[in-house]
Amino acid sequence: MSGWKNPVATQFPLMSDRRLKVFHTVAGVLNFTRAAELLHMTQPAVTHQIRQLEEEFNARLFDRNNNRISLTAAGERVMEYADRILALYDEMQESVKTLTGDRTGLVTLGASTTIAEYMLPGLLGGFRQGFPEVQIRLRVANTETIVAMVADNSIELGVVESEVDSQLLRVEQCQQDELVLIVPPDHPLSRAADITPEDLLGYPFIHREDGSGTRSVIEKYLAARGMSEADLNCPFELGSTEAIKGAVQAGVGISIVSGSTLQKELNLGKLVALPLNPPVMRSFYLVRQKQKFRTQLMNELFLFARRYFDESAQSGKTL
């Protein structure tokens, strides 16, 4: 029977899971370069997969104008089905894992810098004790970037340090944190009982970068007092709490950081932490997609994180 072809397969060629996944990723972020990064592929390879899919459907799936892409009517229809097909595929894999008792797999999460450096080591260490065969992939970036990665499906769960306004995401408060002013021990403000926003104006102030949750909270705090960050003397913007603490110790300026990040420096007498008046409280948030199917492992991690934060709050333990 050499040369025989299945007439059904010939009439209805099977679409590879890979091509559908590539299409779904490109359609989700509407950017070939970004999709290639998420898929760990080259951009030409992504473009080739999309062209093959368009040939199979005999329809254009994307409009390409001025370096921007958008879904055509056919592309939107394929996206509707791709959402359902890939979700069912995930459910099938998860169902088999549940049936066989398989507790292996990969979970991907992201956290803003402060949370990743000072909170997640304990949380992830505890989770690994219960799930030693699970691989955890952590992405660290500022709040704005982490929220974008949850939105475009490059991570499954985000933990961030400022409010999130998105109709596509499920956002749940998980932890309270207080921000304080830090100064060197010999600074003129070091013996003050508390600090008002107006007290900051006479000294060089070290800010976090744009997109930082800490910076966003400080901006809102100043705005509530009729001030803006333009009123501050900001000679530097630094990308991490550790860098800011080092700069303050060196006498470069003063700054506002999370009080939970200072235990070592306060014990060594390297920095002085001063409460702000009125106090600056902020919340940390768990962020995930509303509609996306979640594996049992990701549900386990989410529930573990929520319990971890609840127990920390009840015990008064710092991050």
Side-chain angles (χ1 to χ4, degrees), residues 111-121 140-143 159 161 177 179 208 212-214 239-242 257-261 282 284 319:
S112 51
T113 311
T114 298
I115 293 172
E117 290 178 350
Y118 302 98
M119 176 180 66
L120 285 192
V140 181
N142 62 34
T143 292
V159 193
E161 53 193 86
D177 182 43
L179 300 183
R208 281 291 300 272
S212 159
T214 300
S240 73
T241 300
E242 287 299 309
V257 300
S258 166
S260 60
T261 68
R282 64 168 173 186
F284 293 149
L319 302 182

Side-chain angles (χ1 to χ4, degrees), residues 232-281:
L232 302 175
N233 172 18
C234 296
F236 290 107
E237 291 183 6
L238 298 177
S240 73
T241 300
E242 287 299 309
I244 286 178
K245 290 191 296 184
V248 173
Q249 288 181 52
V252 173
I254 62 177
S255 191
I256 293 174
V257 300
S258 166
S260 60
T261 68
L262 298 169
Q263 183 174 352
K264 179 179 68 175
E265 290 78 11
L266 296 180
N267 289 343
L268 295 173
K270 300 287 188 180
L271 291 173
V272 174
L274 301 164
L276 292 158
N277 184 15
V280 185
M281 302 298 297

